[in-house]
């Protein structure tokens, strides 16, 4: 086992890009990037990649299933700059150009456990009607040069976007040594919460006894039975 | 010194009378609080949704506060604005909500309101467009004497926040 003098904690995240809901578009593939702060280091897994090209399902759902696995481990000394997943979905127009169909961004979940996320996808829009027209003529729609800017809050006020569709993700999160470094990410971990947990346990046992005594059992006669709580 | 991390997103806005919305946000905290890392104010992009009446902002928030006391727990202040096809902007709502004090994941909905003024003002804004806005929104949100203000309810701002606390239990703070 590692010694207790660790000054960093680990964040292991695995999961998958489950499916996309982009009703208007077909033939979508997704590029993803993990973006994190300076204190963070990737120690295992891939920080970027791209999925297969998915088609819509033929039925009513019209989802594009990717089932693309994500698996990454980070280490850090400070939660600031918590990793974010930035996705950009590309499709093809009639001329075979790759066209952006949606950007999305989300933080990795922080509390250990399984998480399902549904994130909105949006595309930047031309600022004027003129640019819109030329973009349409040239087949070059506005897109971010580096989608990583989405993970930063600055400089967004100048962009106009149109949101269209959603992306479904799931994550399993495991953290190591966060509690040891003093970071509390869930209420269940603190000492005071432990007491309340014990309290609920006690309550649960009383409740169990209660249901045993009051539970409907035709073979049991309730007359003369003393309650056990 | 105890530390608080506020990490998450301003997810979007819903239930506003029109789409094409953006949001100006800021965080305010008491005097004992110091921002170590992160940005405490900003503005989202303008979103004009195609299908659902939900303006998606997906605006990341990542703040690292350190504090000497519990008083003045950080608070979000929002201003939701509407941008029309000509690029004119109009105030759609003020809102404010406290950052949750318990660690873990929180999904918040912040309801918003907007001043309407007198009947004359309402008629004017109906025909001319635009509307009233506050000269000093921080004061109105913080002030306990905002009871003369006539307002109308607007939509909601949706937030997904993760709170990480550090060293609070050392000082006997329970949560």
């Amino acid at each position: 086992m590692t010694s207790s003098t660790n000054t960093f904690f680990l964040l292991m995240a695995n999961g998958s890009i489950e499916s996309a809901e982009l009703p208007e578009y077909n033939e979508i593939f997704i590029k993803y990037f993990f973006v994190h702060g300076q204190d963070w280091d990737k120690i295992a897994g891939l920080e970027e990649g791209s999925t297969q090209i998915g088609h819509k399902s033929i039925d009513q759902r019209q989802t594009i299933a990717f089932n693309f696995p994500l698996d990454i481990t980070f280490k850090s000394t400070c939660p600031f700059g918590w990793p974010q997943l930035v996705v950009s979905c590309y499709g093809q127009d009639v001329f075979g150009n790759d066209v952006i169909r949606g950007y999305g961004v989300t933080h990795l979940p922080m509390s250990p456990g399984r998480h399902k996320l549904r994130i909105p996808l949006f595309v930047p829009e031309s600022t004027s009607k003129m640019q819109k027209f030329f973009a349409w003529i040239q087949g070059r729609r506005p897109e971010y040069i580096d989608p990583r800017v989405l993970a930063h809050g600055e400089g967004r006020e100048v962009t106009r976007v149109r949101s269209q569709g959603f992306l479904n993700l799931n994550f399993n999160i495991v953290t190591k040594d966060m509690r040891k470094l003093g970071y509390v990410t869930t209420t269940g971990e603190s000492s005071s919460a432990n007491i309340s947990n014990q309290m609920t346990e006690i309550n649960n046992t009383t409740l169990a006894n209660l249901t045993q005594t009051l539970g409907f059992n035709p073979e049991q006669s309730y007359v003369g039975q003393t309650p056990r709580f | 010194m105890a530390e608080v991390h506020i990490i998450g997103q301003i997810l979007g806005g819903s239930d506003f009378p029109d789409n094409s919305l953006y949001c100006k946000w800021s965080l305010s905290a008491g005097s004992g609080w110091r921002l170590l890392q992160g940005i405490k104010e900003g503005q989202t992009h303008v979103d004009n949704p195609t299908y659902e009446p939900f303006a998606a902002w997906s605006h990341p928030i990542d703040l690292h506060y350190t504090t000497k006391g519990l008083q003045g727990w950080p608070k979000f202040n929002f201003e939701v604005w509407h941008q029309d096809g000509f690029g004119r902007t109009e105030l759609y709502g003020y809102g404010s909500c406290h950052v949750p004090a318990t660690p873990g994941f929180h999904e918040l909905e912040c309801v918003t309101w907007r001043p309407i003024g007198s009947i004359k003002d309402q008629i004017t804004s109906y025909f001319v467009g635009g509307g009233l806005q506050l000269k000093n929104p921080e004061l109105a949100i913080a002030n306990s004497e905002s009871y003369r203000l006539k307002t109308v309810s607007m939509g909601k701002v949706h937030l997904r926040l993760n709170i990480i606390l550090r060293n609070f239990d050392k000082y006997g703070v329970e949560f």
Side-chain angles (χ1 to χ4, degrees):
Chain A
M1 295 313 270
T2 47
S3 65
S4 59
T5 53
N6 279 351
T7 55
F8 57 85
F9 61 84
L10 294 184
L11 166 71
M12 193 277 284
N14 63 31
S16 68
I17 301 177
E18 247 175 39
S19 60
E21 300 166 34
L22 284 163
E24 271 179 48
Y25 304 112
N26 223 335
E27 292 202 16
I28 298 290
F29 73 95
I30 298 176
K31 282 186 188 167
Y32 71 88
F33 315 88
F34 284 101
V35 183
H36 51 76
Q38 289 178 341
D39 297 343
W40 291 76
D41 275 315
K42 181 204 76 176
I43 54 172
L46 294 171
E47 255 178 299
E48 53 182 275
S50 69
T51 69
Q52 76 274 25
I53 301 170
H55 277 248
K56 267 191 296 198
S57 60
I58 312 159
D59 55 12
Q60 275 294 308
R61 294 172 301 147
Q62 301 220 324
T63 58
I64 306 166
F66 290 104
N67 193 20
F68 187 83
L70 303 171
D71 191 350
I72 195 152
T73 308
F74 292 101
K75 77 169 186 187
S76 176
T77 51
C78 175
F80 182 77
W82 196 275
Q84 296 179 67
L85 178 71
V86 177
V87 292
S88 43
C89 308
Y90 293 92
Q92 289 191 332
D93 65 3
V94 282
F95 305 109
N97 302 320
D98 280 345
V99 175
I100 187 70
R101 297 299 188 207
Y103 291 106
V105 60
T106 182
H107 279 96
L108 291 183
M110 257 146 265
S111 38
R114 187 170 166 78
H115 304 266
K116 275 183 96 75
L117 300 172
R118 185 167 185 258
I119 60 169
L121 298 173
F122 49 84
V123 286
E125 281 208 307
S126 307
T127 41
S128 67
K129 292 267 191 298
M130 182 88 140
Q131 279 179 343
K132 203 170 193 168
F133 178 70
F134 280 114
W136 181 72
I137 290 283
Q138 293 172 327
R140 290 182 55 186
R141 260 140 278 199
E143 56 182 283
Y144 297 115
I145 293 169
D146 186 1
R148 287 177 182 84
V149 293
L150 288 171
H152 308 290
E154 312 99 314
R156 280 214 183 184
E157 54 270 21
V158 291
T159 52
R160 292 186 70 167
V161 304
R162 173 175 286 274
S163 60
Q164 42 187 26
F166 289 90
L167 189 69
N168 294 308
L169 305 165
N170 67 55
F171 282 109
N172 294 297
I173 300 293
V174 179
T175 55
K176 180 180 178 290
D177 289 338
M178 277 201 87
R179 191 75 194 91
K180 207 186 269 174
L181 291 176
Y183 293 110
V184 185
T185 53
T186 55
T187 33
E189 284 174 73
S190 81
S191 49
S192 55
N194 277 342
I195 297 166
S196 70
N197 273 353
Q198 285 166 10
M199 287 299 286
T200 37
E201 249 169 53
I202 293 164
N203 284 341
N204 282 344
T205 42
T206 9
L207 202 69
N209 288 343
L210 188 81
T211 40
Q212 264 176 21
T213 7
L214 299 180
F216 180 71
N217 190 346
E219 290 171 19
Q220 220 174 359
S221 146
Y222 297 111
V223 186
Q225 211 176 39
T226 46
R228 272 190 279 166
F229 55 91
Chain B
M1 295 279 261
E3 293 171 38
V4 178
H5 287 271
I6 304 162
I7 303 173
Q9 273 189 350
I10 303 176
L11 200 63
S14 68
D15 302 330
F16 285 92
D18 200 358
N19 290 308
S20 191
L21 303 168
Y22 67 95
C23 177
K24 287 181 185 173
W25 62 275
S26 66
L27 257 113
S28 54
S31 55
W33 293 73
R34 204 156 61 87
L35 185 69
L36 286 187
Q37 291 165 296
I39 312 161
K40 63 169 184 170
E41 58 187 350
Q43 187 177 319
T44 68
H45 55 223
V46 185
D47 183 35
N48 192 10
T50 317
Y51 311 112
E52 294 177 31
F54 182 89
W57 295 321
S58 300
H59 193 98
I61 285 171
D62 197 337
L63 293 135
H64 183 186
Y65 273 106
T66 170
T67 178
K68 287 180 215 155
L70 290 171
Q71 290 77 28
W73 198 273
K75 193 169 79 167
F76 276 103
N77 300 319
F78 299 107
E79 279 177 32
V80 181
W81 291 76
H82 169 246
Q83 191 181 51
D84 66 9
F86 302 105
R88 297 178 301 185
T89 57
E90 173 190 6
L91 178 88
Y92 257 23
Y94 294 108
S96 136
C97 71
H98 277 99
V99 171
T102 45
F105 177 69
H106 302 274
E107 203 142 18
L108 306 180
E109 283 180 358
C110 177
V111 291
T112 62
W113 50 267
R114 147 179 101 124
I116 46 168
S118 64
I119 297 286
K120 195 184 147 203
D121 293 327
Q122 287 172 52
I123 294 169
T124 316
S125 70
Y126 179 82
F127 287 109
V128 183
L132 298 181
Q133 62 195 66
L134 300 173
K135 261 188 183 170
N136 197 341
E138 289 84 22
L139 204 67
I141 290 162
N143 203 345
S144 55
E145 292 184 12
S146 58
Y147 62 93
R148 298 290 287 176
L149 200 60
K150 258 192 183 174
T151 65
V152 60
S153 69
M154 298 303 269
K156 288 181 220 156
V157 177
H158 298 258
L159 293 147
R160 275 183 187 161
L161 293 181
N162 279 283
I163 309 298
I164 299 176
L165 303 181
R166 191 187 195 191
N167 296 342
F168 272 85
D169 39 3
K170 254 187 208 171
Y171 298 98
V173 178
E174 292 154 350
F175 40 79

